[in-house]
Each structure stands twice: as structure tokens, then as C-alpha cells.
Amino acid sequence: MVRIAVLGCGRIGAMHAANIAAHPRATLAAVHDINTDVAKVVSAAIGAPIMATAGEVFAASSVDAVLIATATDTHADLLEQAVAAGKPVLCEKPIDLSLARVNACAEAIRGTSLPIQIGFVRRFDPGHKAVHDAVRAGEIGELHQVVVTSRDPGLAPEAYLQVSGGILRDMTIHDFDMARYILGEEPETVFATGARLVAPKLMERLGDHDTITVVMQTASGRQAILLNSREATYGYDQRVEAFGSKGMVISDNRRAHHMVRAGKGFTDHAAPLLHFFIERYREAFDAEIGAFVEAVETGSPAIVGFEDGRRALVLADAAIRSIAEGRTVKVSEVL
Amino acid sequence: MVRIAVLGCGRIGAMHAANIAAHPRATLAAVHDINTDVAKVVSAAIGAPIMATAGEVFAASSVDAVLIATATDTHADLLEQAVAAGKPVLCEKPIDLSLARVNACAEAIRGTSLPIQIGFVRRFDPGHKAVHDAVRAGEIGELHQVVVTSRDPGLAPEAYLQVSGGILRDMTIHDFDMARYILGEEPETVFATGARLVAPKLMERLGDHDTITVVMQTASGRQAILLNSREATYGYDQRVEAFGSKGMVISDNRRAHHMVRAGKGFTDHAAPLLHFFIERYREAFDAEIGAFVEAVETGSPAIVGFEDGRRALVLADAAIRSIAEGRTVKVSEVL
Amino acid sequence: MVRIAVLGCGRIGAMHAANIAAHPRATLAAVHDINTDVAKVVSAAIGAPIMATAGEVFAASSVDAVLIATATDTHADLLEQAVAAGKPVLCEKPIDLSLARVNACAEAIRGTSLPIQIGFVRRFDPGHKAVHDAVRAGEIGELHQVVVTSRDPGLAPEAYLQVSGGILRDMTIHDFDMARYILGEEPETVFATGARLVAPKLMERLGDHDTITVVMQTASGRQAILLNSREATYGYDQRVEAFGSKGMVISDNRRAHHMVRAGKGFTDHAAPLLHFFIERYREAFDAEIGAFVEAVETGSPAIVGFEDGRRALVLADAAIRSIAEGRTVKVSEVL
Amino acid sequence: MVRIAVLGCGRIGAMHAANIAAHPRATLAAVHDINTDVAKVVSAAIGAPIMATAGEVFAASSVDAVLIATATDTHADLLEQAVAAGKPVLCEKPIDLSLARVNACAEAIRGTSLPIQIGFVRRFDPGHKAVHDAVRAGEIGELHQVVVTSRDPGLAPEAYLQVSGGILRDMTIHDFDMARYILGEEPETVFATGARLVAPKLMERLGDHDTITVVMQTASGRQAILLNSREATYGYDQRVEAFGSKGMVISDNRRAHHMVRAGKGFTDHAAPLLHFFIERYREAFDAEIGAFVEAVETGSPAIVGFEDGRRALVLADAAIRSIAEGRTVKVSEVL
């Protein structure tokens, strides 16, 4: 059994803790949160010991690996400490909002052979993964265009948005990773445009956008288009389309069930999309833990590694510069 | 050019007249209706001469073939006269409401080599035909079950229902033919049950039903299930499913376009089904005329022949007896 | 916490044991199987004590309620013993293959106020339940037709089929219950027809069928049509359609994900249906345990009770007689 | 009856001629082509007189209106001559490949009250129009993003591509118009990127691209994304998605019929998309003629007017500059 400790017991940390406990080859070794009351809730519900400090976790011989789900600005520090302590890490995205900090972190852990996995959970979604696998298997021939539609079911609270690092580093970052995952080739140029349509005043106050389109192109000409909105009234809109020389694959949305209704003047009326990301990506979160457990067991590199986390941030930074300067930005400018 | 005269200029005769006129290898040779005013409307719109009597049509050397779309109780007489006059016939279904009369008609035209086509238009629907073709091509292996869902968009007027011969001979008759078309084997037994749910009082007055389920089985055990209703508020519900040892094919419904809508609390909301049978089966009506033109040109037997018309009526009669007697009826009892 | 013991640790018992252990308000109190090795596997995996006999389970004060997942021919005995011991019961379907035995069991437990739930898990499927709820809420007006398509992904082993009681009591029994669930009214007549198409020789040897169509009608004329096959190559085909005066609702099939593929000559190519019933009805199995836990906690009657189990068997018996005698059978004949 | 003459009897002119002849309130007054043999084919098939020169057509009192379907480089000249002759015009797109020529043409016809309609036929597609109407009716609230996917079923012949004016003026021009139609607001900025993936060598030789992504933004922040490819193996991929504050509408693709197939390992396998634009947009071509007939009858401005034709070309020119200069281009730079 792989004994995993969870650092950070907020919404996503608590979910990970439960998933670890439910995994047949993993146990929840410990939980930690700077707010002890929060840690207590998870501890009581799932039954793992509380550790008072992160240092205690890293020092514990009862802990084989750690999952970092703390506040974003602590990720890099904790990740470095974990590696220093010889613990494999599953770290929530983003590694840090600052590319400089991420680069420094990369330097600090250079040469480690410990599995380090970044929490780009969508790679583990059965539908999105099926798109990836079909593309890699050549089922659509040469890949030409990737279209990622990614719209949140509703605006996050202002307090969250203030520390989120902006939509590109917070939300689009998942889509940058998805694009890289499907493309199988690094984007060379990034164009982005942002608008304030969902909550114009709030976005102006935050200096942020709520509606984003990004277009990236690789050296060979493959195009990736990312479509974001902070609010889709019909649910959490998550689609991936890959188009190529021999065909197309689409990972379509998910609903809670497949009941459709017809009546006077309409047909096919279906339920809204699954709203909550934990519900929408439930199988993916399970599979993410499973992949981490396997990486720890075998000592093999994680499927989504540190460099994947760094690259997604590079693309976000390029997109931010593209919006600011109204031009296509070469990735090499920010790398 | 095949010169076709249309007998009967009601709704369906007028449509056929227009389709004949639009066919590249056919012309509308003449129109006739016992109500001359009705014939005039079609004549004026499309531009064909009016003939005062059916006899005139049958005698005319300017007429290569005839399409019979008159009142049902005149079909058999006109069909016999047409054959006697050496004119190929496309006759609207049913041949007659009385099986005895149909059998007599069969006797009267025995031995003719003229193409005689019965108006089971649904065989020409691209989707239903694709089901048929897939089954015949072995794409679903051995056929096990055929499910025909056939619900009208709304109750016909009482005046029509009174002379319709009842739902089984009027509406289900299409589905009996569809079942035979897909099955590729004659049903051996027929079970039917009827209910009065759409318009209970009217149905009781007419001694008719508005909701029907029929189950037929062939000697080899293949099953065909027919589901009818006189009123589907969401449109004209026309589906055919064939299930077999290697898979399943389904011909699904049609809408006017494929716009779907999502909003607060719903997704995939689509337009109602096409309501009107002429609109729903537009391609089929065109293809039906095309098949008739080709049969006349080549002198080959029609795709849907007289015996098909007779067999469908046999099954309707067996179903009527099944409802009356509350038991499975062998087709051989009514054949 | 409701402490539930599981009797019978085969495939389905083991699954229930895991679901009980995962339920936030339930614990797995004990497991029992006449084959101790089988019980040990579940005990080791989930961590509950083994009890050597059913009697020990019923006597244990550490057990609040029992789940019966033993061989069918022990269900009624164990159910009676559980009730005698004052333990609420969740009993897998069918209660027994013999209606006489079920009636005797009903007599034996008459007057108990203990929650007794029968394992018709499909009532808890989110899609099927949404159909039920829409019908009850009047969303389709007056109900006219219910169509239940229920095809297994593959033939069960001969050893299983030999003791299954035949397709109608083993497989269609779920659909009889589904029909009653949606109809909201008892069927008055039953017609059934069976064929041997999937495995003709085996079925002849067993005196059983592998392809079934059942038509039932209620006093008010509502029709329910059940379509069964023992083998659908494309997966576990589970659909429920309810048609009424104001519209239609359909609970459609489920796939593992929603990736579709288009290529030269095709579009929309999707994954097969979920094959395995435990996977297909995963949410339903969870919800079934949840409903039982709630019934035990509150002492309220189960959502699917003993009489539901008995009624489904009554309909199966009527269908068996219908096939044997080639006629419509009144439910009152077998009740 | 509106008497319409067709100038240019190539593939699309011949189709328009037939549609005019089939329209209940229009007749084909004459046909003209610089290649008389081509004109003869249409004349023979449909039955209209041939006129030897365009001048003859414009002078004919038997001609109420003209449809221009000649080579692109003659459009503007013929349009000016038609207006000078007082004939309403339906002119195929594009008006000209040169914006300067289009602007000169606009100057030449300034002040005319004759209906002048440009052949952006997709506005008349029932599904795309339903998206437009839903957006205008406020069904999705404030519009945020429009996504137009437009992929041809196969590469046009090199001879055609050489004179096409490039993918942006030839193919994307339809999508520029569609974006404007749905947006209801002029784009302010244009970003475009092109790739050579379908036929790299040919495209290099032509100085053209075969894969295009365009992103436009309006002053209020609405975004339009256009996705093009010269070759989709699965058919003619034509989708329009509009996303807004209250929901989303999508006009999805069309197939010849709705038969789907399931078998070992797959479900929902459907026919390819309709390949041929005349087939795909059949209803739209009919409706386009209908709208023109009505404009001529009533003397009212055409639904898609000269300025619409000019604006689409402006956007194409901006996109061409964007690709050339690797930056976002303001529409005002090229207007």
C-alpha cells in the first residue's frame, strides 16, 4: 500500500483525501492544514491522523508520498521540501503563478528521480483521453486543428478571483495543458484576446477578463484554439475536438443521466451539463490518484510531470503578453 | 418520357402530380377527379389537361401509366380497369379495405406482366431503406427483432376516420408493410392489442382504437413489434429499429433543421419532429415516383407489388381478429 | 451508522459489501457465505468480520440489518428468519422462483413493520428514475405506452441459465418491475412470445427462450412493451421510453465516455455501451443501498417492497402461461 | 411572376436556373453564357431562351431581374450594367477579389433603390437561420462568442484554386459573412493564422493556405472564431455555435438520413455528412431565390445587400494582412 499524506484540506484536498482512502492500493497516511479545524473535518470523516506541520509530514517515515493541495503560493516551497525529503509529489496546478519562481523550483529539484506529478486532471478524463489516444494511434491521420471549449458553470467568488492569478493562469492553464496533450508538439506562437462580458465591472476592477480566445500554432502548422468563459448557464461545458487529415474525434459533454424529453413544440430536451468540476471529472480524479500510486510503486516518471506544469504557465504568460501587446507572441520570447 | 395520368386530385394526388411533373423522365399526362373543381386546381398549377372520366384516361394513347389516388373504395375497380387497358399502375394504399375484394382483384389481374406498384412510400425513405439494406447486407447478422414506432402528429378529422377502415387498415397498414420489408420473411402469428386513450369517446363511437401494439413472429422466430398512436404532440414519430446477432440499426426521426439550444437548466433542446407526412417523407415520395417511372420504362416488376398490398391487409385482418378474440392469430387463418 | 451484514459473498454480494462500506452512514457489520473461502476474500478486502452461519448473523446485536445475496432458493427462508429476528432486509431479486413459495413467505411475514426492500436496482438508475419522475409529475400528460428495451451484453454461462428459472423470471423480471414502476397502475393482461435465436440448441435443451417480447395492458388501456434479448453485441442495451398525451421521455443508454469519431465514410462512431451490469448501474447500486440505509434509519417502508417483488413474479408467471398457451393471459388468473 | 435571367450557366448558375424555374412566383426568363454550348445545356433542360450577350439580357423587356453567376472578375462590371439598366440583381459572392474594385462599384451604383442581393446563401440555411433568430430573440441573452466551423469535403482542383483569390476571399468569405450575420455588430479587430497541412506543396506554390483560424472581436468584446479546412474526409462540416449570457445555440451538421448502426465494439455509427454544397444547402438555395423574388416583387432592399458583400471582403483583407504581419489588424486599417 502506498501511504499518501495530503497537505491542504480545502475542497480539493478533502476530495483527494477521500479518493486516496478509497484507492485499493493506497492509504491516507496523514492530513495537514494550516487551519487545524479544516484538517480535523477531513481527519474525522476519513480517519487519518493530523500532522501539525508540513515538516512533520515530510519527516514521517509513515508517509511514502505527498499530495500538495495548499494555497498556490505555497506549492513551489512545499514541492521543493518534499523532494528534499525524498517524497514523491502530486502537486495541484499551477506550480506557481510566477514563471520565475517555477523556473527556480525546476532548478532546485533538478536531477531528482522522484515521481513528480502535476494536477492536470483532465488528461485522465476517459473521453479526453480517448481523443488523445485516437490521435496518437493515427485514427485521424495527421493532426490539423485542436479545439478546446472550456466554460465554467459560474463565476467564482471575487475573493478567489483576486488571488487566482487571472483567468489565463487559473482557468485556461488547464486548456494549455490539454492542447499540449493532444497536439503532441509544442506551440511556437500564441495569440490571445480577452473580453469582459460576464462581469464587466468586476473584471475591470481586477484587471482580468472573463471571456478568452487563444490560438496557438506549432512549427509544423498545427493549430490549437481555446475557448473560455467564466459562466455557462447550462453547466460546465468541457469539449475537446481534434481534426486531422483522416477524420475527427470529439470528446463531448457529460450529463448526470441520459433522459430526454419531447413535448409540444420540442424534442431531445436534456438535463443541464454536470455543473461541479469534482462531479464532472470524478473518474479523472480517481484515475489521477491511480496514476500517481502507480508511479510511486514503480518509481517511474509521472504521466504529467513538472515540465508540463511549467510549459502550461509559459503559454499562459505568452497569452497574457499577446493580449497586452495586441500581437502574436512567440513562445521563445517567454520561455 | 413516361407520361403519367393522376386519378384523384386530393391532397395526396396533387402532391404526386407535382412530383411527376418535376421528375426529369416523366410528364404529367392528365389529371382526373370526380370533382372537376379539384382537378382544375391541380391542372392550373401544374399545367396538365383534365380528363372528365377515368375511362377517358385509360383509353388515351397519350397516357403511358396511371397513378390512382382516388377514394379507397374505388382503388380496386380502377386498378382492374387500368390493367385491362394495358396501363401500368401506381395505386395508393390500401388496395381495398376488404380482403375479399383484394383477393378478387388479384384474381382479375392474374397473369398481367404490367408493373403494378402499391403506395407504401416509406420503403423509399432513405433512413428506413438504409435499415433494410444494412439488414440484407448482413451488417447485423441474423435478424432477431424489428421495432417500428409510428405515431401520427395528430388525430385525423372524424369524417376521415369514419371511412378509414379503422386504425389497423389505415395507419398500421404502413407498419405491417415496413415489418415485412425489414423482416424478409412472412409473419406466421399476429398478436394485437388496442386502447382508446387519445380520444376515448370518439373511438368508442367509431368502434376503433387510437393506440395499438402489434407483435408478429415468423416461423424462424423473428419478432416484429409495431407501436402506434394517433397523436404525438412532438411531431410525426417514425422510427425503425432492427436488432440482430451482430448488432443493431436504427432509422431515427427527422427535424426541419439541427439547431439545438441550451440554457439555464437544460441542454440539447431541439425542434419538434416534422409534422406533416408529405414533408417528412418528401424524398421518399420523390423516390417512389422514380421507382415507378423506372419500372414503366423497363417493364420490370414494381419494387412494392400487388401482393405486398394484399399481405399487409392480411396482417391487418389478423390483428383485428386478435384484438376481438384476445388471442394470437395465425396468419394462415385469414390468408 | 447503520450496521449491515451481507449474506452471500458472490459477485453481487461482494459489490454490495463494498458499497455498504463506502456509504457515509453505513458500515459493513459482517459477511457470511456458505463457502467460507469466498467470505474470506470479501472480509479481507473490506475488513468486516466473518460470521459462520446465517443464524449467527440474525442473532448478532452488532447487526442492524441484513442484505441477502445468496442463492435464489435460499432467499425466502433467510428473509423469513431475518424478519423473525427483527432485522430489516434488503433481498436480491427474485424472492423465489415459485410464486407459491413467495405467497407463503408473504404470509409468514405478514404484519411486520420492518423495512423489507427487494433488489430491483434499476428503479434507482438516475435516467430511469428521471423518466418515472417526469411521468408522475405530469410532464407527458396521461401515460399511453411504456417501452422497455433490455438486452444483455452476452449469454450467461449454461450452469447459471439452468438454475435461473428461465428468462422471464430471471431477466424480464427486472422489466416487469420497471413497467409497473413507470405505469403507476397494475397490468391487467399479459401477452408474451419467445424465440430461440441467440443459442437455439441450448435454449431447446433448457426449455427456455433467449428472445422475448411481452405486451401488457392495464384496465385503463395503458400499454407496456418489454423487449429482451440475451445477447447484444454492442453492449448492455437498457432503455426506457414513456409516451403520453403531452409528450415523451426516454432514458437512453450509457457509454463509458462521450468520444465520437468521424472518418472517411462515417460520423458519430461511438464506444459500445457499458457491458457489465455493475458498471452500467453503478449509481443505481449506490442509491439502492442509500435508500435502504434511510429506510432502516427512519423505520419507514422501503421504496421497493415485498409486494413489488411478488407482483413482478406474478407477471412473469402470466407471461410463461401466455407463451405456453398462445393467448393473452389475465393477471387475475395467476394472482 | 418575376422573370429572372441567369448570367453564367456553370454548375452554380445551372442550379439557380432550375431553382428559379421551380419557384411558384418566378420564371426563368433567359439564360446567357459566354460559352454558348454551356447555355444550351441549361436552356434545353429547363426550357428558357438563350440570349447571346449580357447586353441583350439587360435590354430585354422580358427580363425583370438578373442573377449573376459568371466568373468572379466579371461580377462588378455586370452588376453595374444591370443597375444602369434598372434590373434588380442577385450576384454570386464575392463581388470582386479587389476591395478597390468593390469600392468603385459601390460608388457607381450609389443611390440606387433597386434590390441588390449578394449570394451569401448560408444565411438562408434553416439551422443557421434558427441560430440567428434565437440570438436576435434574446434566447441566449447577451452574445459572447460565435464559433463557425467550416470545412470543405475536399480540395478544389488546382485550376480553380489559382483564380480563387485565396482561401480567405474564396472560402472564409462565407464565414466572415456568417459571423457578421450572427454577431449583429461589426468586428473591430481581426487576427488570422494560416497553415499548409492538407496540400503543403500546392499551397506553397500558390502562396495560399488550406487551414485557417480567424479570431475577430467587436467593440463590445464579442468574439467570433472561424475554423476552416480545405478537406474533411467525413464530409462537408458546417456548424455554427453562438454562446451567450443565458445559454447557447448550435446549428449542427446534416446527413442524408438518420440511420445509425451499432455492432461489436461500437454504437451510433452514422453516415458521413452531406458532401456536396448544393445538396447540403439545398433548402438555403431555394430560400435565397425566394427572398430575391420577394425583394423584386416588393421593391424592398435585399436581406443580404451590397454592403454585406463589401464588408466580408474587408474582413478577408484584414485577415490576409494579419497573417502577413503576424499581428492583430484593426478593421479600420483596411476599411
Side-chain angles (χ1 to χ4, degrees), chain D residues 88-89 112-118 124 291-306 308:
Chain D
V89 179
T112 183
S113 62
L114 291 170
I116 297 176
Q117 183 171 331
I118 305 301
F124 298 95
F292 183 57
V293 168
E294 191 169 323
V296 175
E297 285 174 339
T298 61
S300 52
I303 291 177
V304 207
F306 188 92
D308 292 308

Side-chain angles (χ1 to χ4, degrees), chain D residues 72-73 97 155-167 169-170 201-208 230:
Chain D
T72 295
D73 59 4
L97 294 175
L155 202 62
E158 181 165 351
Y160 174 85
L161 293 173
Q162 274 168 346
V163 300
S164 71
I167 188 171
R169 289 195 188 100
D170 171 52
K201 285 176 188 171
L202 173 59
M203 288 302 143
E204 202 159 339
R205 210 157 61 234
L206 296 171
D208 201 357
R230 281 285 191 188

Side-chain angles (χ1 to χ4, degrees), chain C residues 23-285:
Chain C
H23 192 282
R25 298 200 313 277
T27 56
L28 185 61
V31 293
H32 159 75
D33 197 287
I34 50 168
N35 181 335
T36 312
D37 289 343
V38 169
K40 276 182 185 161
V41 172
V42 175
S43 170
I46 311 180
I50 297 176
M51 292 192 180
T53 64
E56 187 182 340
V57 172
F58 296 136
S61 63
S62 63
V63 171
D64 296 325
V66 299
L67 187 153
I68 300 174
T70 53
T72 295
D73 58 4
T74 66
H75 286 181
D77 289 351
L78 292 173
L79 198 156
E80 289 173 5
Q81 293 166 29
V83 170
K87 309 285 192 203
V89 179
L90 171 45
C91 180
E92 265 305 323
K93 62 94 220 169
I95 300 173
D96 195 274
L97 295 174
S98 153
L99 184 56
R101 179 68 188 91
V102 172
N103 286 339
C105 185
E107 196 55 39
I109 65 170
R110 182 184 307 279
T112 184
S113 62
L114 291 169
I116 297 176
Q117 183 172 331
I118 304 302
F120 287 129
V121 65
R122 298 183 191 174
R123 290 199 186 203
F124 297 96
D125 178 68
H128 297 353
K129 183 173 184 304
V131 166
H132 168 270
D133 293 351
V135 171
R136 283 305 158 274
E139 291 187 18
I140 62 163
E142 290 297 314
L143 180 65
H144 292 179
Q145 290 180 320
V146 176
V147 186
V148 180
T149 304
S150 174
R151 294 169 181 146
D152 270 1
L155 203 60
E158 182 167 351
Y160 174 85
L161 293 173
Q162 275 167 345
V163 300
S164 71
I167 187 170
L168 284 154
R169 289 197 188 99
D170 171 52
M171 184 173 154
T172 322
I173 196 133
H174 274 297
D175 309 307
F176 286 121
D177 183 64
M178 185 54 61
R180 290 183 62 247
Y181 178 56
I182 306 295
L183 281 172
E185 202 179 274
E186 292 300 333
E188 198 182 51
T189 61
V190 177
F191 164 82
T193 181
R196 292 161 183 158
L197 298 169
V198 173
K201 284 176 189 171
L202 173 60
M203 288 303 142
E204 202 158 339
R205 209 156 60 233
L206 296 172
D208 201 357
H209 298 93
D210 50 38
T211 303
I212 290 284
T213 299
V214 178
V215 181
M216 304 191 289
Q217 194 157 317
T218 69
S220 75
R222 294 179 180 179
Q223 303 179 336
I225 296 91
L226 316 180
L227 303 167
N228 284 171
S229 170
R230 281 284 191 189
E231 186 169 78
T233 58
Y234 51 88
Y236 191 26
D237 191 357
Q238 299 281 298
R239 290 172 278 162
V240 177
E241 170 179 326
F243 170 80
S245 61
K246 291 189 180 162
M248 176 171 63
V249 280
I250 296 178
S251 172
D252 212 336
N253 276 307
R254 291 188 51 202
R255 287 161 194 77
H257 58 73
H258 299 294
M259 198 270 273
V260 298
R261 190 153 59 89
K264 192 157 185 62
F266 68 92
T267 53
D268 281 4
H269 186 99
L273 305 180
L274 286 173
H275 262 68
F276 190 34
F277 73 93
I278 288 183
E279 205 181 7
R280 165 64 182 85
Y281 282 114
R282 196 182 48 75
E283 291 96 336
F285 280 114

Side-chain angles (χ1 to χ4, degrees), chain A:
Chain A
M1 300 293 270
V2 176
R3 300 165 301 170
I4 306 174
V6 169
L7 306 181
C9 294
R11 190 169 60 172
I12 204 163
M15 178 205 64
H16 282 309
N19 291 350
I20 289 167
H23 192 282
R25 299 200 313 277
T27 56
L28 185 61
V31 293
H32 159 74
D33 198 288
I34 51 168
N35 181 335
T36 313
D37 289 344
V38 169
K40 276 182 186 162
V41 171
V42 175
S43 170
I46 311 181
I50 297 176
M51 292 191 179
T53 65
E56 187 182 341
V57 171
F58 297 136
S61 63
S62 63
V63 171
D64 296 324
V66 299
L67 188 153
I68 300 174
T70 53
T72 294
D73 58 6
T74 65
H75 286 181
D77 289 351
L78 292 173
L79 198 156
E80 289 173 5
Q81 293 166 31
V83 170
K87 309 286 191 201
V89 179
L90 170 44
C91 180
E92 266 304 323
K93 61 92 221 172
I95 301 172
D96 195 274
L97 295 175
S98 153
L99 183 56
R101 179 67 189 92
V102 172
N103 286 339
C105 184
E107 196 55 40
I109 65 170
R110 182 183 306 277
T112 183
S113 62
L114 292 170
I116 297 176
Q117 182 171 332
I118 304 301
F120 286 129
V121 66
R122 298 182 193 175
R123 288 199 187 203
F124 298 95
D125 179 67
H128 298 353
K129 183 173 184 305
V131 165
H132 168 271
D133 294 351
V135 171
R136 282 307 157 272
E139 292 187 18
I140 63 163
E142 291 297 314
L143 180 64
H144 292 180
Q145 290 181 320
V146 177
V147 186
V148 180
T149 304
S150 175
R151 294 168 181 147
D152 270 2
L155 202 62
E158 182 166 352
Y160 174 85
L161 294 173
Q162 274 167 346
V163 299
S164 70
I167 187 170
L168 285 154
R169 289 198 188 98
D170 171 52
M171 183 173 154
T172 322
I173 195 130
H174 274 296
D175 309 307
F176 285 121
D177 183 65
M178 183 55 60
R180 289 184 64 248
Y181 177 57
I182 306 295
L183 281 173
E185 202 180 273
E186 293 299 334
E188 199 180 51
T189 60
V190 177
F191 165 80
T193 182
R196 291 161 183 160
L197 299 168
V198 173
K201 285 177 188 169
L202 173 60
M203 289 302 143
E204 201 159 340
R205 209 158 60 233
L206 297 171
D208 201 357
H209 298 95
D210 49 39
T211 302
I212 290 284
T213 298
V214 176
V215 181
M216 304 190 290
Q217 195 156 315
T218 69
S220 75
R222 294 180 180 179
Q223 302 179 336
I225 297 91
L226 316 181
L227 304 167
N228 286 169
S229 171
R230 282 283 191 189
E231 186 168 78
T233 58
Y234 51 88
Y236 190 27
D237 191 356
Q238 299 281 298
R239 289 173 277 161
V240 176
E241 170 179 326
F243 170 80
S245 60
K246 292 189 180 163
M248 176 171 63
V249 280
I250 296 178
S251 172
D252 213 336
N253 276 308
R254 292 188 52 202
R255 288 160 193 77
H257 59 72
H258 298 295
M259 198 271 273
V260 297
R261 191 153 57 90
K264 193 158 186 60
F266 67 94
T267 54
D268 282 3
H269 186 99
L273 305 180
L274 286 173
H275 262 68
F276 190 34
F277 73 94
I278 288 183
E279 205 180 7
R280 166 63 183 84
Y281 283 113
R282 196 183 49 74
E283 291 96 335
F285 280 114
D286 282 349
E288 182 182 47
I289 293 295
F292 183 56
V293 167
E294 191 169 322
V296 175
E297 285 174 337
T298 62
S300 53
I303 291 178
V304 208
F306 188 93
E307 179 64 8
D308 293 309
R310 198 181 77 87
R311 280 278 175 176
L313 192 64
V314 163
L315 296 174
D317 276 18
I320 289 167
R321 192 178 294 187
S322 175
I323 293 181
E325 303 182 6
R327 65 175 181 93
T328 304
V329 171
K330 289 191 180 151
V331 173
S332 57
E333 297 179 48
V334 289
L335 202 58

